[in-house]
Amino acid sequence: MLSRVADSIYWTSRYIERAEAVARFIAVNLNISMDLSTAGNQQWMPLVTTTGDDEKFSEIYGEASKRNVIEFLTFDRNNPNSILSCLINARENARSIRERISAEMWEHINRFYLMVKDVGDAEGILDDLPDFYEAVRNSGQQFVGVTDATMTHGEGWHFCQLGRFLERADKMSRILDVKYYILLPSPQHVGSAFDDLQWAALLRSASAYEMYRQRFGRIVPQNVVDFLMLDKEFPRAVLHCLTRANESLHAITGSDIEGFTNLPEQRLGQLRAEFAFTSASDIIARGLHEFIDDFQKRLNLVGESIGTTFFSLQAAA
Amino acid sequence: MFSPGGSPRTNCQLLYQHIQELTSNDLRKRKTAAERSMIRLGITFNVYGEEEGTERIIPFDILPRIIQGEQWSWISKGLKQRIIALNMFIDDIYNEQKILKDGIIPEHVVKSASSFRPQCVGMKPPNGIWCHITGTDLVRDSDGEFYVLEDNLRCPSGVSYVLQNRQLMKQTFPGLFEAQFVRPVDDYCSQLLDALNSLAPEHVEKPVVAVLSPGIYNSAYFEHSFLAQQMGVDLVEGRDLVVRDRRVYARTTKGLMAVDVIYRRIDDDFIDPHVFRKDSMLGVPGIIDAYRAGNVALANAPGTGIADDKVIYAYVPDMIKYYLSEDAILPNVPTYVCWDDAQRDHVIKNIADMVVKPANESGGYGMLIGPRASKEEHDKFVELIKANPRNYIAQPTLALSRAPVIIDDHLEGRHVDLRPFIIYGRDIYVLPGGLTRVALRKGSLVVNSSQGGGSKDTWVV
């Protein structure tokens, strides 16, 4: 497979996953803020902080009102991680590899992009937010389905999987981080009714509520961390994502899953092993935020090494 | 569609009846549905000079244009004759130059063409064929005859719209396809792939074929991508390719992969900075060297553009006579070449009635349409012609045929031309029909998509 094509497939898939994740972020906050609004306790800035774009945000908007944050994270073309920017990028990448992906995948991305763009161009979006973010999430999931059902499960598909699961692992950890930011000012709230509401909302935003209930029953913060970070079978759990990404990486190179033949395999393998051999109580003891922060740094290194190993035109030349 | 008396031509009756049964609202609804699916499918072209990434659809008119089978056989025969002669001409020019020595075409006309590539002298492409893919523009005059308006032999665009238009038409008027004998166009890509495969060096059993595009900002990117997709081959950009030991390789995730045949959609100027424009970032350094060594086949061959020059075009009937000892089946539009003193004087005197075209432009850029231009524009073109007579040709304004087009909720006549596509591999294949381009502005004669033209499906029945 052409390096440039592999690069574009990987990023198409990452951007679609990212758009979906941003929609999840906002949806969980909308949900939480509805319950918290009576307490006058709406918090929108943490959302921007967790996407890592706070400097850019403050530069453009200043005040972190609900409206500003939603605009910035959803439709702002100046924010490279807004939903619309992600779709522009996904579409641009997909357009450059139309001959390698299925017609259904391209059509889906094109429609997805047009849907978000049209809503962004229209007035009065703030009235229909929950529906809109649900539509974004559905479209993101449909893309996964269309890809799975129409693209040959060969090298290109594995690059798609690799991009998706790395992105999902990153964003899942960030969603947990939102919780950390919200709770930080008042650790004494742990275990209160507000707290329960928030954890439930968080599970819902990760489409994990029902599955969590089946696994653990009662909502206990440590179990939520366990489920979203360390579950082997839940498809949005970080460990599961790392495992699937690792499988695809080895499928691409054809190397033994137990070992490594290049830098990305080494880095991802180590990271996955640590997750496989840690527990929720370990993570909380280390500090959830610190743990996630370290995880994200190492995940970035995995991404970087994938770029230099497979996509860099110089490397192959 | 209509005969001069205003009644539908015999071959159009079924279509006419069908349309009569539709209300104007139906028509508009179907038109909107077709255009919407074009946007949804991303069947677009890029517009130069507008904001980066601006894509538009080519406006699509859902009334097909119908060409009678017998007339088509004649056109098709004429196109084959023409492409054979043109290929013999290109091969001759870069090798023996007999046609120049025999004085059929003045040598200075060929040597002064900006598309003449001295770098290609002495080259021998596989099977002696230079131009594998041609799009020849035809127009019908008021006498009902088809004339060749120009030949596009470098990177002719539009065939993807022919294929997509047909798909849209099947959705728009399914009933009509069952009733009519419309000749299918769907095997174009198989024909193209066969032709490309036939260019591979003989010892290569399973040739690796690729389409070379300048990238997603090129106006014809959709087409490049579409053709690669339909043929199931890689779409590559210059940066994907590298030449090692006179062989072309693609950079892949697993290292370098040899490439045998390249359908290139990058102009000569940009294809190899070692040989042509040094500042080009789009091409592949060393690719011409690999081509010379016979290690990669290029379609169309570099140098093909010489037969694309609009002054050379004026001599195609002479070429046909010279190489094939036949008369041209398809006539040229009468053409004046301005390097000739007498013809230039005639053009300048009659400039208000002439269409003046620069020899080496495409896309309808840099043209003068005499009857629609002001006195100032006439004067400006007279100056341009005088300053560089070699660069201009002129043709009398034709009464281009018109076809009915849906405008809002009713039909209006608009000028059309026709671009059939010809593939020259082991055999010659002429796509039945071609791209009918429509000048959407009332009275306009310019059909180019870059100038706001639209398109129609073309049915050979």
Side-chain angles (χ1 to χ4, degrees):
Chain A
M1 166 162 282
L2 291 178
S3 298
R4 179 179 52 79
V5 171
D7 191 2
S8 291
I9 289 182
Y10 172 86
W11 280 105
T12 300
S13 163
R14 272 200 91 141
Y15 280 123
I16 296 280
E17 185 70 28
R18 188 172 296 175
E20 190 193 324
V22 175
R24 286 175 186 283
F25 267 20
I26 301 172
V28 68
N29 223 48
L30 280 172
N31 214 324
I32 292 176
S33 70
M34 276 187 255
D35 287 317
L36 294 185
S37 56
T38 43
N41 196 12
Q42 296 190 31
Q43 295 189 50
W44 286 92
M45 195 57 197
L47 232 62
V48 180
T49 311
T50 49
T51 61
D53 296 312
D54 27 3
E55 248 174 65
K56 188 158 217 103
F57 176 84
S58 307
E59 210 176 277
I60 305 175
Y61 293 90
E63 184 208 355
S65 66
K66 172 177 168 184
R67 193 190 187 93
N68 285 349
V69 169
I70 281 176
E71 174 66 25
F72 179 72
L73 292 180
T74 313
F75 301 113
D76 193 340
R77 288 167 195 258
N78 295 313
N79 172 11
N81 294 316
S82 72
I83 293 174
L84 181 58
S85 293
C86 284
L87 286 167
I88 289 172
N89 288 330
R91 181 174 181 274
E92 219 44 4
N93 273 290
R95 202 157 80 84
S96 75
I97 50 167
R98 272 179 81 162
E99 76 291 350
R100 281 292 161 213
I101 59 178
S102 67
E104 285 88 343
M105 287 166 73
W106 158 253
E107 251 183 75
H108 184 80
I109 291 174
N110 195 38
R111 266 197 260 187
F112 191 178
Y113 156 76
L114 291 171
M115 184 264 285
V116 173
K117 185 177 153 289
D118 289 350
V119 170
D121 291 344
E123 296 286 313
I125 161 68
L126 284 174
D127 305 330
D128 272 327
L129 284 175
D131 281 354
F132 170 72
Y133 291 112
E134 192 185 326
V136 171
R137 270 166 23 222
N138 283 341
S139 289
Q141 296 190 342
Q142 279 160 12
F143 176 72
V144 177
V146 166
T147 302
D148 201 54
T150 61
M151 189 182 193
T152 303
H153 289 198
E155 191 181 353
W157 185 79
H158 282 295
F159 273 112
C160 220
Q161 295 280 97
L162 189 56
R164 168 177 318 128
F165 282 111
L166 292 182
E167 184 67 26
R168 189 179 288 175
D170 177 72
K171 291 301 177 287
M172 192 68 246
S173 70
R174 284 176 192 268
I175 285 181
L176 267 174
D177 224 17
V178 177
K179 175 65 182 163
Y180 160 83
Y181 269 102
I182 289 169
L183 281 186
L184 185 68
S186 50
Q188 68 273 25
H189 275 186
V190 174
S192 72
F194 273 156
D195 198 41
D196 265 15
L197 273 174
Q198 290 184 28
W199 285 112
L202 184 133
L203 282 166
R204 285 211 176 85
S205 79
S207 303
Y209 182 77
E210 294 78 12
M211 297 298 130
Y212 173 87
R213 285 285 195 201
Q214 287 175 30
R215 172 99 160 73
F216 288 105
R218 268 193 62 222
I219 294 181
V220 178
Q222 183 173 317
N223 289 345
V224 175
V225 170
D226 192 339
F227 192 64
L228 293 184
M229 294 293 265
L230 302 178
D231 198 86
K232 289 192 183 70
E233 287 155 357
F234 180 64
R236 314 198 75 85
V238 175
L239 174 57
H240 180 85
C241 293
L242 295 177
T243 306
R244 297 293 300 278
N246 196 42
E247 284 164 9
S248 281
L249 191 54
H250 284 273
I252 288 164
T253 60
S255 67
D256 185 356
I257 193 94
E258 297 300 331
F260 67 95
T261 53
N262 56 34
L263 195 55
E265 283 175 357
Q266 183 184 24
R267 285 179 175 167
L268 184 55
Q270 284 174 347
L271 196 52
R272 197 200 78 83
E274 272 175 46
F275 265 71
F277 293 96
T278 194
S279 67
S281 51
D282 291 345
I283 293 175
I284 288 166
R286 265 183 73 182
L288 183 61
H289 176 66
E290 288 70 20
F291 183 86
I292 287 173
D293 205 39
D294 176 60
F295 166 68
Q296 283 172 355
K297 278 181 193 139
R298 294 174 61 187
L299 200 63
N300 283 342
L301 290 176
V302 172
E304 268 172 34
S305 60
I306 286 171
T308 46
T309 304
F310 298 109
F311 308 149
S312 155
L313 294 176
Q314 263 61 45
Chain B
M1 183 164 172
F2 298 98
S3 59
S7 56
R9 292 178 198 274
T10 28
N11 56 28
C12 298
Q13 262 163 5
L14 200 70
L15 175 68
Y16 180 74
Q17 265 175 20
H18 193 87
I19 290 166
Q20 284 295 307
E21 287 161 14
L22 297 172
T23 65
S24 56
N25 198 22
D26 273 340
L27 269 184
R28 205 172 36 206
K29 265 206 310 225
R30 291 188 194 208
K31 181 181 160 69
T32 317
E35 293 194 340
R36 232 187 247 139
S37 55
M38 289 177 89
I39 292 175
R40 185 164 55 74
L41 296 166
I43 307 174
T44 55
F45 71 104
N46 294 355
V47 187
Y48 283 120
E50 295 194 11
E51 190 189 336
E52 192 174 88
T54 302
E55 298 160 52
R56 287 210 208 127
I57 58 166
I58 294 185
F60 177 55
D61 185 71
I62 57 173
L63 289 188
R65 175 192 194 174
I66 294 180
I67 299 176
Q68 195 66 22
E70 296 96 75
Q71 187 165 37
W72 181 254
S73 322
W74 177 78
I75 293 173
S76 172
K77 230 169 107 184
L79 291 170
K80 283 184 185 171
Q81 179 198 48
R82 196 172 177 94
I83 198 61
I84 291 171
L86 282 164
N87 265 292
M88 292 173 81
F89 167 74
I90 303 167
D91 198 52
D92 190 20
I93 288 303
Y94 289 115
N95 287 285
E96 292 167 66
Q97 304 192 337
K98 282 190 300 198
I99 199 168
L100 305 183
K101 288 171 192 150
D102 287 342
I104 309 296
I105 301 179
E107 183 168 347
H108 71 90
V109 168
V110 172
K111 299 285 171 71
S112 63
S114 58
S115 53
F116 175 69
R117 308 286 176 207
Q119 300 93 332
C120 295
V121 170
M123 281 186 185
K124 282 277 174 200
N127 314 326
I129 300 162
W130 292 68
C131 183
H132 310 90
I133 300 102
T134 316
T136 299
D137 290 344
L138 303 175
V139 290
R140 242 176 83 221
D141 197 5
S142 50
D143 58 9
E145 292 301 314
F146 278 94
Y147 292 83
V148 176
L149 186 64
E150 60 185 58
D151 301 288
N152 298 283
L153 294 94
R154 283 177 262 191
C155 304
S157 297
V159 71
S160 54
Y161 297 103
V162 175
L163 303 179
Q164 291 282 0
N165 285 353
R166 181 60 56 86
Q167 287 303 320
L168 290 174
M169 288 301 283
K170 285 182 179 165
Q171 289 165 21
T172 312
F173 295 117
L176 269 177
F177 277 88
E178 282 161 25
Q180 293 249 14
F181 268 136
V182 182
R183 288 200 204 161
V185 294
D186 296 338
D187 63 337
Y188 179 86
C189 291
S190 308
Q191 296 280 351
L192 180 60
L193 183 60
D194 286 349
L196 294 172
N197 275 324
S198 77
L199 303 181
E202 259 173 44
H203 62 274
V204 180
E205 213 170 293
K206 266 199 83 181
V208 174
V209 177
V211 176
L212 175 60
S213 166
I216 61 167
Y217 296 115
N218 185 269
S219 61
Y221 179 75
F222 166 74
E223 174 150 311
H224 307 159
S225 155
F226 177 84
L227 292 176
Q229 178 189 46
Q230 295 298 306
M231 291 192 289
V233 305
D234 276 314
L235 178 71
V236 295
E237 298 175 17
R239 58 195 164 116
D240 296 320
L241 299 179
V242 59
V243 177
R244 293 267 184 279
D245 301 325
R246 311 186 87 191
R247 192 123 179 42
V248 179
Y249 296 92
R251 296 171 160 121
T252 77
T253 53
K254 297 187 166 69
L256 297 177
M257 171 185 74
V259 178
D260 306 300
V261 182
I262 295 175
Y263 177 25
R264 54 100 175 201
R265 297 290 299 252
I266 296 185
D267 214 43
D268 287 352
D269 272 339
F270 301 101
I271 200 168
D272 185 348
H274 287 176
V275 180
F276 300 111
R277 274 178 62 164
K278 309 235 168 318
D279 59 340
S280 168
M281 303 295 286
L282 297 172
V284 187
I287 194 171
I288 294 295
D289 196 31
Y291 174 72
R292 272 201 201 105
N295 291 334
V296 69
L298 298 176
N300 289 335
T304 301
I306 185 59
D308 204 301
D309 184 279
K310 291 187 178 63
V311 180
I312 306 280
Y313 151 88
Y315 296 93
V316 175
D318 299 330
M319 284 176 207
I320 293 174
K321 192 109 206 169
Y322 180 76
Y323 293 114
L324 304 175
S325 309
E326 292 170 12
D327 287 323
I329 297 171
L330 290 170
N332 269 13
V333 174
T335 302
Y336 302 95
V337 292
C338 294
W339 65 265
D340 179 284
D341 295 343
Q343 296 188 37
R344 182 175 62 248
D345 286 347
H346 177 82
V347 171
I348 290 177
K349 241 177 251 149
N350 296 290
I351 192 126
D353 303 318
M354 295 279 182
V355 175
V356 182
K357 298 175 181 174
N360 199 33
E361 285 273 354
S362 59
Y365 291 98
M367 278 171 61
L368 171 79
I369 298 186
R372 316 236 179 252
S374 65
K375 177 80 176 59
E376 287 75 39
E377 286 170 285
H378 293 156
D379 293 345
K380 189 184 111 193
F381 265 79
V382 168
E383 289 314 308
L384 285 170
I385 292 170
K386 283 182 179 162
N388 188 0
R390 166 61 181 81
N391 194 40
Y392 289 93
I393 61 155
Q395 295 167 332
T397 321
L398 299 182
L400 279 191
S401 67
R402 296 190 307 172
V405 169
I406 300 172
I407 303 288
D408 301 324
D409 60 351
H410 61 283
L411 302 183
E412 283 183 23
R414 288 290 186 270
H415 293 297
V416 291
D417 79 351
L418 176 65
R419 177 178 288 182
F421 292 88
I422 305 127
I423 299 174
Y424 195 167
R426 286 194 208 287
D427 305 306
I428 301 177
Y429 164 83
V430 182
L431 177 82
L435 182 66
T436 289
R437 298 186 296 175
V438 186
L440 283 174
R441 260 178 300 134
K442 197 168 194 149
S444 169
L445 294 171
V446 184
V447 296
N448 303 83
S449 52
S450 43
Q451 316 281 327
S455 79
K456 270 175 175 296
D457 194 11
T458 314
W459 291 1
V460 176
V461 297

